[in-house]
Amino acid sequence: MKQHSQAATGVTTNTPEETPVVSSMAPPADEVYVMPATQGQVRFWSLDQMHPGNPALNMPLMWQCRGELNVDLLAMAFTLAVRRHEMLRTTFAMVDGRLSQIIGGPYSVALPVKDLQDVPDAANSPEAGRLIREHAAYRMDLFNGPLLALKLLKFAPQHHLLLVTMHHIICDGISLGILLRDIAVFYEALMEERKPVLPELPIQFADFAVWQEEWRKSEAAETSLNFWRETLGTNFGRLELPHDATPEGRRDVRTDSESGDIETLLMSPELTALAHEFCKNQNVTLNILLFSIFCALLHRVTGQRDIVIGSPCANRNEDTDELIGLFMNIQVLRVGIEPQETFRSLLTKVQDWTLGAYENQELPFEELIYDSHFSHNNTSFEIPIFFLYQKSFMVIQRVAGLEITPLRSMSPGAVFEWMFAIVDRPEEGPRLQLEYNPNYFRPGTIQRYLTSFIALLESAVRESSIQLEKMAPADDFLPAKLPDNQSRIVSRRNARPLQEKQFDGGAAIMEKLDDQVATISDPIEIQLLELWRSMLGVEEISADTNVFSLGVSSLSILRLVTRMNSLYSMGFGLASLISAPTIKMVAELVRRRYAPNTVTSLVPIQPVGTKRPLYIVHGAGGNVVNFYGLTTRIGADQPVYGVQAQALELDQPALLRIEDMAAHYLKEIRRVQPEGPYHLLGYSFGGIVVLEMAHQLLAAGETIGLLGMLDTRARDYIEGWPAELSSNNGRTQRGGLAGFFRSHAGHGSAKGWWDFFLKDLGERRVRYTITFAARMFSTLPAFLKNTHEINSVAARNYKVKPVSQKLTLFRAANQADSSIPSDNGWSPIFKGGVEIHEIPGDHWQVLSVPGIDVLAKSIHGCLSQFDEPMG
């Protein structure tokens, strides 16, 4: 790995008698370095973007300090650690459309003290518990930092509890042990007034990030990718754990991800000894044995035979062993459970996978998500269950009369449904730790799963040839006192297959529909299921169905959102449904009374990726839902943001001028991407907004990459366009009553025409009101907002001006008016010329199959012309 010149190695190995110093390689306090972020950091940044400050992404620590403690020197020890490790002074920001590490200069660390000496039994008091929970749930700001927070609770003169919370984006589990070791060394050196002795750091984390970027382009990366393609295959989905927490028992929390608990169970010394003897006889590690037991447990709990689990790996080497940083990578285990499978057979499968995975642990998990081999083959990397075995990296430190004991931390929130960890500590042996979401599971159920794990382990170490189904009684794997619906799910999964022709067709259909209802026990989810079925006209919907996978129109989705707002008195926007596209997710938003992404015009449809983002500006209707399918086809590594109409923002007066709309959208875009080049694409009406955005960007000295329009016609926005445009038969196609009726053909009966006339009259009344307001004001009150009419008035009042840029026009092949030129009339406006890409279909069909596939491929090709090294 290369070493960047600004690497701060901190202290190095020196003789004890020297005075404390810090390496001169540390940058001055006023200097900041910008380095690329790793794929793992992009993952955690993306999770944070979905819910800024989500404490579930924290890594909280508790260090019990017994003995005489010098608080000032302890704070100084952290200051020296910040100087030694760049990651502890790093924040994150988008630079040139790419997530980057912003490495700041060293700073003095504050250590606030909360004195609880007057509180009875302070260490076990409710006040101490409250402070511990609050600190674990500390909301980190990835942009401003710091991402390290400290608090010291004083229980007695020689009894303190140090709370240390870091964001996962700057550390992993091994990092926590490194920090504890370094703090102890620094503290002891300061107390004894000598130089600390620590291993030299050959590189910093930023050097690893640069190396990873280079490695991802190498032949070795392609070899690893091929390994995972062959090992994992395709067509796999998520494991479905039976939930048993009732709605009444769920906690009043802001989000599922902010709610987490940990249940633990210590393995007995006798069972631990048997497990080690078993591993010796079978020539496997304890990790492989316990991982295999976990697979057996999941099979028994879910009844599923295709087991897909995530497993964190260290992903470190001799250059990175001493660094604090997010080196941890996620690996995916897929194992098929055959009928009459023995535990020995399962053990062999897990061992084979582990050996291969170890050799290919450097490939970032994100490479699998983005790889077309998986994304095009009905494969989901939505993994709710993780397994981890690790030797304890936190050991007791005894320094300068002070004993620092790491304590088990509390859960700041469960990112996944289950994180099953086995921590092997020298002082007590392996301890099972199951972190879970209490909104889904009862504590008693989780404890039952832990005891079931022990029961399976006891069976396996005594007889490796035992069949999985016989390792423990079946009832051990059913949650205690499940509601009736949930019990039916589990029993059906474990039931024998139905004999053919046992039921007639009608009964089979009822069975299928019954199964769908059985998978939902929450009353809000049941209500939403009925609503979605009736509003969307689709019966095959489950709690986890993505609404955008149903193939319904954006108008149907808009009606659904309107109905949900009325039903629940919420402020959902279409952007809310993009963030929460399933019944289960919407139900949780209803429970929390929280509607995301309705106070901004910028909608992160696909915010993850290493390339500069593409910003797609709304059409006349204002919403961005119709861009969802396009986004999924452009490429998994291409970030895409939809720009929805400013008029859709809740409780905000609507802007009436395109100039003001463009300025507003650019302000929000620059929060994501401070500098160009910018990639802009406007659909229909959005094309004219993009033109104005280009004018404003160029006036500000910014650069533009792709400047695109999707079937925007110049004649709709340029004054002086010929009023009489002839069709093939020479008849006038616009203007006059005859043109009005021809353009609205298909209303049919007299009643149909009358209903249309009344509707049109109502719309015109709104339009006249908006037109009048636009002449007097720059904004429109929220109660008068009608997005389509606002955009119509704004377009009519806009004066088109030439621009020096080239236009990339994605043009519908089937134009309603044959007199429209091939460039849609834009050549006089764009002095850089017009590049035309013809898309199958008409103005509306370009965003549906087959036009959408051609459009996505064309956009991808155009964007690739602007690809270049970032930073």
Side-chain angles (χ1 to χ4, degrees), residues 266-277 427-430 454:
L266 185 65
M267 283 176 53
S268 69
E270 295 77 17
L271 180 57
T272 301
L274 285 174
H276 282 293
E277 184 65 23
E427 63 272 17
E428 65 176 13
I454 295 296

Side-chain angles (χ1 to χ4, degrees), residues 487-496 511 514-516 518:
S487 297
R488 289 165 59 197
I489 301 170
V490 179
S491 62
R492 281 180 179 157
R493 283 174 177 162
N494 288 309
R496 291 174 295 176
E511 172 90 353
D514 192 35
D515 275 343
Q516 289 180 346

Side-chain angles (χ1 to χ4, degrees), residues 297-357:
L297 174 68
L298 290 174
H299 165 59
R300 298 295 298 277
V301 168
T302 66
Q304 295 175 238
R305 295 191 177 277
D306 191 6
I307 306 297
V308 181
I309 311 171
S311 180
C313 64
N315 194 29
R316 288 174 178 256
N317 57 37
E318 60 182 9
D319 289 331
T320 57
D321 278 345
E322 297 294 336
L323 291 178
I324 290 175
L326 180 60
F327 297 96
M328 179 272 295
N329 191 19
I330 292 175
Q331 295 179 331
V332 182
L333 164 68
R334 183 185 189 183
V335 59
I337 306 294
E338 304 295 334
Q340 288 81 50
E341 179 104 49
T342 66
F343 179 73
R344 186 67 187 86
S345 173
L346 175 61
L347 190 71
T348 300
K349 292 178 180 179
V350 174
Q351 183 179 36
D352 290 345
W353 172 86
T354 303
L355 294 175

Side-chain angles (χ1 to χ4, degrees), residues 758-817:
L758 292 178
K759 179 177 182 293
D760 183 72
L761 184 64
E763 290 180 351
R764 287 168 186 258
R765 185 182 299 115
V766 173
R767 184 176 302 173
Y768 295 148
T769 302
I770 294 171
T771 301
F772 175 75
R775 293 172 180 170
M776 300 184 64
F777 310 104
S778 60
T779 61
L780 190 71
F783 68 88
L784 273 179
K785 290 195 297 186
N786 179 303
T787 305
H788 195 284
E789 302 308 329
I790 288 170
N791 291 334
S792 298
V793 171
R796 187 183 307 117
N797 293 335
Y798 183 67
K799 307 299 181 184
V800 173
K801 303 182 293 293
V803 68
S804 60
Q805 294 287 121
K806 179 185 82 172
L807 170 66
T808 301
L809 176 65
F810 304 94
R811 183 181 190 269
N814 302 333
Q815 293 289 325
D817 189 339

Side-chain angles (χ1 to χ4, degrees), residues 518-561:
T519 60
I520 302 179
S521 60
D522 179 85
I524 296 178
E525 292 180 14
I526 292 173
Q527 189 178 40
L528 284 169
L529 177 66
E530 295 173 352
L531 177 64
W532 284 34
R533 284 177 174 173
S534 62
M535 294 292 294
L536 301 178
V538 179
E539 286 295 324
E540 298 292 327
I541 299 178
S542 71
D544 294 310
T545 299
N546 187 313
V547 69
F548 298 106
S549 70
L550 298 175
V552 297
S553 68
S554 58
L555 180 59
S556 297
I557 294 177
L558 178 61
R559 289 170 178 161
L560 176 63
V561 169

Side-chain angles (χ1 to χ4, degrees), residues 7-44:
T9 59
V11 296
T12 58
T13 305
N14 287 286
T15 55
E17 61 272 11
E18 298 180 50
T19 55
V21 298
V22 178
S23 170
S24 61
M25 294 183 67
D30 59 347
E31 290 190 19
V32 171
Y33 302 113
V34 179
M35 301 293 286
T38 64
Q39 293 298 294
Q41 289 174 326
V42 171
R43 177 171 69 251
F44 279 100

Side-chain angles (χ1 to χ4, degrees), residues 676-680 703-708 805-806 808 862-863 866:
Y678 293 95
H679 298 320
L680 307 173
T703 56
I704 301 172
L706 174 68
L707 180 56
Q805 294 287 121
K806 179 185 82 172
T808 301
C862 293
L863 289 173
F866 299 98

